Amino acid sequence: MTRDQKNIWNQEKRAVRRLRDGLGKPVDPGIMETVAILRLFGFTTTSSCGGHLDRAVSPYVAFRSSENEVDRQLIHEASSTAAKRQRRNRAIQHNADELASLLGYLERFYARRRVPYPQQLICQGFGVIGYRLATQDADLVYAVTDTEHRKLVMRQRQEFDAFTEFLMAEFFGTKDDAPSRAA
């Protein structure tokens, strides 16, 4: 990685560390690098979680189109049902365009990576609201024992880490040039 690339990476990680959610909480350290690389690719992340070992929450990153807030305001301001529907469809299209971009990265990632289907990352769609990147087995945290829960969340985190490393190699160059997870 060149000095300029390291500066870009470190600057984005600092920017992500300053982000706060609606409750004023920072991005979880376990998902911070995933959020940072997605933002470098131009994705508008809206919330995230690194997963929790003490409660039923799996890792995820939510995102939406950069035009989403304006789109939603226009829906609210529309004077007729037809106008609301048209603006809603436009908002969904904007989010779908961003989703299509992310799906391309996931497709390339899984073309080279073989893991059981439940472990794979997927995008869950919420139309006008946006999308969520999570593992296929994310909701199993509600159906497993405490011991299984810990193993499940750790495996989910590993899948996010592998995808993050893939994206870093895509953005910065070869895998050998990508910074380590500890950087």
Side-chain angles (χ1 to χ4, degrees), residues 3 6 32 36 54 94 108-109 114 123 131 151 153:
R3 182 183 310 209
K6 286 179 186 176
M32 189 272 305
D54 61 342
H94 288 151
R108 287 197 302 282
F109 175 62
R114 299 288 179 236
C123 290
Y131 296 87
K151 290 178 186 175
V153 171

Side-chain angles (χ1 to χ4, degrees), residues 121-140:
L121 296 171
I122 61 166
C123 290
Q124 301 166 315
F126 302 105
V128 173
I129 296 169
Y131 296 87
R132 178 182 274 200
L133 179 66
T135 58
Q136 179 69 25
D137 61 3
D139 286 342
L140 290 182

Side-chain angles (χ1 to χ4, degrees), residues 1 24 43 63 74 79 91 112 114 120 126-127 130-131 161 172:
M1 177 178 280
F43 292 102
F63 64 98
L74 290 172
S79 59
R112 300 184 231 171
R114 299 288 179 236
Q120 291 182 8
F126 302 105
Y131 296 87
D161 289 346
F172 291 113

Side-chain angles (χ1 to χ4, degrees), residues 25-80:
K25 295 185 179 203
V27 174
D28 290 347
I31 202 78
M32 189 272 305
E33 288 190 356
T34 305
V35 172
I37 195 65
L38 286 168
R39 288 169 45 98
L40 282 174
F41 274 102
F43 292 102
T44 304
T45 61
T46 57
S47 64
S48 62
C49 181
H52 293 275
L53 301 177
D54 61 342
R55 60 185 193 270
V57 182
S58 291
Y60 74 89
V61 177
F63 64 98
R64 64 181 179 208
S65 162
S66 60
E67 294 121 349
N68 189 270
E69 286 186 45
V70 171
D71 286 341
R72 291 172 75 181
Q73 183 62 35
L74 290 172
I75 293 167
H76 178 72
E77 294 171 357
S79 59
S80 70

Side-chain angles (χ1 to χ4, degrees), residues 100-182:
S101 180
L102 184 59
L103 289 176
Y105 292 110
L106 285 169
E107 184 175 7
R108 287 197 302 282
F109 175 62
Y110 284 114
R112 300 184 231 171
R113 181 173 174 81
R114 299 288 179 236
V115 295
Y117 180 69
Q119 190 174 330
Q120 291 182 8
L121 296 171
I122 61 166
C123 290
Q124 301 166 315
F126 302 105
V128 173
I129 296 169
Y131 296 87
R132 178 182 274 200
L133 179 66
T135 58
Q136 179 69 25
D137 61 3
D139 286 342
L140 290 182
V141 294
Y142 297 103
V144 295
T145 66
D146 288 345
T147 303
E148 292 168 329
H149 174 258
R150 182 176 180 76
K151 290 178 186 175
L152 177 64
V153 171
M154 295 304 291
R155 189 175 68 240
Q156 292 167 343
R157 286 179 178 173
Q158 289 171 350
E159 195 64 10
F160 270 92
D161 289 346
F163 186 55
T164 300
E165 289 179 15
F166 165 81
L167 289 175
M168 290 173 69
E170 289 274 310
F171 190 83
F172 291 113
T174 66
K175 185 174 182 178
D176 296 334
D177 293 338
S180 70
R181 296 283 301 155

